[in-house]
């Protein structure tokens, strides 16, 4: 068998870079049978050369100078695993202009520059692959672009951040404190260099913007995705959710009726009988609904060294096959529609509201009146535990317009008997899985 040798360079040797190095080495023998080519790592770019050399026991491959890569004609694939916008963007653009194919896990950059980079790749007949940028190991981009291309998709949603899912799992199942769970997620290599991006929902926001753009063939920028993280959730919320037969997950949601797109990231109460409720630790899950496929779900590790490397190296194999067959640049940007984004006030959801009030007769009825006056239909309203002279009231609404719900919350906040609005959390609704079992 004739084996085509393909030179590759890694930009970055951190969690995912080292994982990619290990997986590429482990595949040396089998890759030629799978692709007709063999990837050979020629250079690895880092800032700290000594640290990197110690990781792989080979100083010769390591450089801190990008010119060593861009000027090396034997390097045909550049694998960008540094993260952040710059210098990643400059290096990727330079690689594409030099006719080098690019594989990246960089969701920040893809979310901000997807269209421009895809166009540049097309101009240079190069592949630009980014499967690892969304949901780590789980194949999501390739199915959306290829296997499910025959559908009009109406929904892509799910758990797309491993760090927050890990934290919420540890808090709800082991009673772990938020900070302890975050430190553990960081130690395990799940969290971003600055974990604010994970816990404030920005990492999930970028992933939602990428998958929504591909699913609905219309550009969804990360500014279009209204984003809420998990930092405002308290142990009380998690406990109340449990009592109601629900668990709290950070959900990325993108929905389209073909005329407009709704996209947001927010913590949600998920009924325990829904498959997403049992997606724990660093696992991610993505649901897709289409007119031909009906429902499909993808599940797997959403972060971590080897799981993420699995997706990166899968892309490298794809590029290698294309090189062998002389057919790079087959799939370019597919955003040919220009659909508007639905303003968040016009999005309909069910809500969980927890209010701390003075423990007085009539407070409950008063609150019910506010909802009725603003056409916010209530499914349940329950008085919870007393703490001194205050008590918690928990309300579950029916599906209501967000703008109306917000007005109701503002009115309740102004009542003299209201001590504090403790939390407002969306409740996931789906015809098959209702939260009706959620009795106190
Ligand atoms: P990381 O552990 O922080 O590693 C970053 C690597 O890039 C380090 O080797 C660093 O080198 C190098 N680097 C950073 N800036 C550089 C620069 N200006 N010049 C040269 N080298 C530079 O990051 P990671 O967790 O592996 O993440 C990498 C990418 O994968 C990010 O885009 C991330 O969002 C994405 N991703 C991560 C995961 C995950 O589970 N971690 C999953 C999916 C996607 P020095 O150490 O020498 O500074
Ligand atoms: N920090 C990200 C997560 C890594 O926790 O999901 C994968 O993109």
């Amino acid at each position: 068998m004739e084996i085509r040798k393909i030179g590759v360079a890694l930009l970055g040797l951190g969690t995912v870079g080292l994982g990619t190095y290990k997986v590429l080495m482990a595949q040396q023998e089998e890759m030629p049978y799978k692709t007709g080519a063999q990837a050979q790592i020629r250079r690895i770019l880092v800032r700290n050369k000594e640290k990197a050399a110690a990781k792989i026991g080979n100083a010769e491959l390591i450089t801190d100078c990008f010119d060593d890569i861009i000027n090396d004609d034997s390097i045909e694939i550049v694998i960008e695993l540094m993260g952040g916008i710059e210098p990643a963007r400059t290096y990727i653009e330079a690689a594409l202009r030099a006719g080098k194919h690019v594989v990246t896990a960089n969701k920040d950059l893809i979310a901000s520059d997807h269209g421009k980079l895809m166009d540049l790749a097309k101009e240079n007949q190069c592949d630009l692959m980014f499967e690892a940028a969304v949901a780590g190991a789980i194949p999501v981009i390739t199915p959306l672009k290829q296997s499910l291309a025959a559908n009009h998709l109406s929904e892509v949603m799910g758990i797309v951040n491993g760090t927050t899912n890990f934290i919420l799992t540890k808090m709800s199942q082991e009673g772990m404190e938020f900070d302890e769970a975050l430190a553990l997620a960081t130690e395990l290599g799940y969290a971003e260099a600055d974990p604010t991006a994970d816990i404030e929902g920005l990492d999930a926001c970028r992933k939602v913007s990428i998958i929504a753009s591909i699913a609905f063939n219309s550009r969804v920028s990360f500014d279009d995705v209204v984003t809420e993280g998990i930092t405002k959730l308290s142990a009380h919320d998690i406990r109340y959710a449990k009592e109601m037969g629900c668990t709290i997950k950070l959900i990325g949601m993108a929905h389209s009726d073909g005329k407009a797109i709704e996209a947001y990231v927010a913590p949600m109460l998920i009924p325990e009988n829904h498959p997403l409720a049992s997606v724990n630790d660093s696992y991610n899950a993505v649901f897709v609904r289409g007119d031909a496929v009906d429902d499909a779900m993808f599940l797997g590790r959403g972060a971590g060294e080897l799981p993420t490397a699995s997706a990166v190296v899968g892309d490298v194999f794809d590029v290698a096959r294309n090189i062998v067959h002389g057919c790079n640049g087959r799939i370019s940007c597919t955003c040919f529609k220009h659909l508007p984004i639905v303003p968040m006030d016009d999005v309909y959801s069910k809500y969980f509201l927890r209010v701390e009030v003075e423990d007085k007769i009539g407070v409950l009825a008063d609150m019910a009146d506010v909802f009725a006056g603003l056409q916010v239909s209530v499914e349940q309203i329950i008085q919870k535990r007393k703490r001194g002279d205050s008590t918690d009231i928990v309300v579950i609404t029916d599906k209501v317009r967000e703008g109306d719900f917000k007005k109701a919350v503002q009115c309740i906040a102004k009542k003299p008997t209201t001590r504090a609005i403790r939390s407002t959390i969306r409740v996931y609704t789906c015809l098959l899985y209702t939260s009706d079992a959620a009795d106190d």
Side-chain angles (χ1 to χ4, degrees):
M1 180 174 74
E2 195 187 327
I3 298 169
R4 170 80 153 76
K5 301 274 191 284
I6 295 176
V8 306
L10 293 176
L11 311 186
L13 194 69
T15 302
V16 186
L18 186 59
T20 299
Y21 177 89
K22 289 178 185 168
V23 174
L24 271 174
M25 293 316 244
Q27 282 293 320
Q28 281 300 295
E29 212 178 299
E30 292 193 5
M31 183 176 175
Y33 295 101
K34 293 175 179 172
T35 66
Q38 187 160 50
Q40 296 183 332
I41 301 173
R42 302 261 157 85
R43 281 289 182 183
I44 301 175
L45 180 79
V46 293
R47 287 177 293 207
N48 183 331
K49 292 204 289 181
E50 287 70 34
K51 189 175 82 179
K55 284 185 189 173
I56 58 167
N58 180 354
E60 276 175 27
L61 290 179
I62 309 294
T63 179
D64 57 7
C65 176
F66 182 64
D67 284 350
D68 290 344
I69 290 167
I70 203 73
N71 295 328
D72 183 341
D73 290 340
S74 79
I75 293 174
E76 294 178 81
I77 306 177
V78 170
I79 309 174
E80 187 280 306
L81 304 169
M82 300 186 303
I85 301 293
E86 285 295 351
R89 171 168 41 206
T90 302
Y91 292 171
I92 288 179
E93 286 176 353
L96 292 171
R97 287 202 179 93
K100 298 180 193 301
H101 310 287
V102 172
V103 172
T104 179
N106 192 330
K107 84 271 322 191
D108 294 7
L109 185 59
I110 293 297
S112 99
D113 283 5
H114 178 211
K116 272 186 261 163
L117 292 174
M118 290 303 281
D119 289 348
L120 186 61
K122 190 180 176 187
E123 271 167 41
N124 291 283
Q125 290 177 322
C126 286
D127 285 330
L128 170 63
M129 307 272 201
F130 48 89
E131 184 60 72
V134 177
I138 313 175
V140 176
I141 305 295
T142 309
L144 287 177
K145 282 198 175 237
Q146 300 188 32
S147 337
L148 297 170
N151 285 267
H152 293 110
L153 298 178
S154 55
E155 191 161 285
V156 255
M157 60 81 64
I159 297 169
V160 290
N161 181 269
T163 302
T164 45
N165 204 36
F166 182 84
I167 293 172
L168 291 173
T169 305
K170 294 288 165 198
M171 285 174 77
S172 82
Q173 292 186 354
E174 296 174 28
M176 206 181 259
E177 292 299 325
F178 180 93
D179 289 341
E180 195 189 344
L182 172 58
L184 196 51
T186 304
E187 193 184 313
L188 291 166
Y190 304 153
E192 296 299 304
D194 175 1
T196 314
D198 294 298
I199 60 180
E200 295 295 357
L202 301 173
D203 175 81
C205 158
R206 273 138 181 82
K207 292 167 179 167
V208 167
S209 88
I210 296 170
I211 48 177
S213 300
I214 298 171
F216 307 136
N217 303 112
S218 182
R219 175 75 43 231
V220 177
S221 88
F222 53 80
D223 294 330
D224 294 326
V225 184
V226 174
T227 298
E228 209 180 298
I230 62 165
T231 49
K232 290 190 198 130
L233 291 176
S234 73
H236 290 295
D237 297 322
I238 291 173
R239 201 186 59 230
Y240 282 144
K242 243 187 205 172
E243 286 174 14
M244 298 167 71
C246 291
T247 184
I248 299 179
K249 298 286 184 189
L250 185 71
I251 298 293
M253 173 68 77
H255 181 84
S256 177
D257 59 2
K259 296 186 193 112
I261 295 171
E262 289 174 8
Y264 56 90
V265 170
M268 278 194 187
L269 268 79
I270 307 281
E272 267 160 11
N273 63 351
H274 188 281
L276 277 182
S278 52
V279 176
N280 289 321
D281 295 316
S282 71
Y283 280 90
N284 283 192
V286 178
F287 275 91
V288 175
R289 176 166 298 156
D291 57 354
V293 67
D294 196 12
D295 286 348
M297 173 171 155
F298 303 83
L299 171 73
R301 289 269 180 210
E305 184 191 67
L306 295 179
T308 311
S310 161
V312 172
V313 177
D315 276 351
V316 172
F317 278 24
D318 242 11
V319 178
R321 285 189 193 104
N322 289 343
I323 292 176
V324 168
H325 294 283
C327 58
N328 298 93
R330 287 182 305 123
I331 305 179
S332 49
C333 183
T334 48
C335 291
F336 58 89
K337 296 182 187 170
H338 302 280
L339 301 179
I341 304 295
V342 180
M344 212 49 209
D345 273 356
D346 291 334
V347 170
Y348 282 74
S349 301
K350 263 174 108 162
Y351 278 92
F352 163 98
L353 167 70
R354 180 162 70 88
V355 191
E356 186 184 334
V357 294
E358 275 178 37
D359 186 19
K360 274 191 176 163
I361 291 171
V363 174
L364 207 66
D366 226 17
M367 208 176 277
D369 283 348
V370 171
F371 285 116
L374 287 160
Q375 313 292 317
V376 173
S377 160
V378 169
E379 186 184 283
Q380 293 181 52
I381 183 160
I382 309 152
Q383 182 156 345
K384 290 286 192 176
R385 291 170 189 77
K386 284 185 190 183
R387 275 192 306 272
D389 62 347
S390 59
T391 185
D392 272 354
I393 290 185
V394 167
V395 178
I396 305 286
T397 69
D398 282 328
K399 246 183 164 184
V400 294
R401 196 181 149 271
E402 172 148 340
D404 296 335
F405 175 73
K406 277 197 220 151
K407 269 188 218 153
V409 173
Q410 279 163 9
C411 282
I412 289 164
K414 284 185 196 144
K415 294 260 168 203
T417 47
T418 298
R419 296 255 160 95
I421 303 291
R422 290 291 172 201
S423 45
T424 56
I425 309 173
R426 290 177 182 78
V427 179
Y428 180 68
T429 43
C430 163
L431 288 180
L432 294 177
Y433 306 94
T434 67
S435 62
D436 292 345
D439 259 338
D440 191 24

